[in-house]
Amino acid sequence: MTAPDEITLTGLRAIGYHGVYEQERVEGQLFIVDVTLHLSLAAAASGDDLNATVHYGELADKVVRAVESDPVDLIETVAERVANLALAYPVVDTVTVTVHKPSAPIAVPFADVSVTIRRGRS
């Protein structure tokens, strides 16, 4: 069996109002999302058929809208929201989502905070 193929979107940027602190909910901040879809691209490639794959431009728009909507406390919840969007495409077997929160309210110097989740079909 061969390893699944991948489509990866890296560095999608959106302003969201997620966090446990009131200031995060009022001011908002930048979130950066990476999404890797694991799927077979053989049918799309052999038939040169967009309908046999995922339109990554449309997925990118959906991911940004998901980050910008409905504030939640945890970036884990944002990652789950994005994973569910990706798994709504029937050709996607599994998805890996990383949500970065580079301006998280942390008292010590840091470069980034992120969570990564992997989800597949039940």
Side-chain angles (χ1 to χ4, degrees):
M1 179 180 251
T2 60
D5 303 316
E6 296 180 354
I7 295 174
T8 302
L9 297 166
T10 305
L12 297 172
R13 297 172 180 270
I15 300 299
Y17 295 84
H18 312 292
V20 296
Y21 298 112
E22 183 179 347
Q23 181 181 0
E24 295 177 288
R25 295 289 185 110
V26 172
E27 295 179 9
Q29 61 190 290
L30 175 67
F31 292 85
I32 302 168
V33 180
D34 306 324
V35 181
T36 300
L37 310 176
H38 307 275
L39 68 166
S40 174
L41 297 173
S46 67
D48 197 30
D49 184 6
L50 179 59
N51 293 316
T53 185
V54 173
H55 188 305
Y56 49 79
E58 290 176 1
L59 177 61
D61 289 340
K62 289 178 182 180
V63 169
V64 168
R65 284 194 308 269
V67 173
E68 292 174 342
S69 71
D70 302 326
V72 294
D73 289 344
L74 303 176
I75 58 175
E76 291 87 336
T77 306
V78 176
E80 189 77 23
R81 183 183 292 172
V82 171
N84 288 334
L85 283 173
L87 289 170
Y89 291 89
V91 295
V92 175
D93 296 320
T94 60
V95 61
T96 303
V97 177
T98 301
V99 176
H100 303 264
K101 190 174 180 180
S103 298
I106 297 175
V108 297
F110 72 101
D112 189 23
V113 153
S114 67
V115 299
T116 299
I117 65 169
R118 291 167 189 84
R119 298 291 183 266
R121 301 202 174 278
S122 311

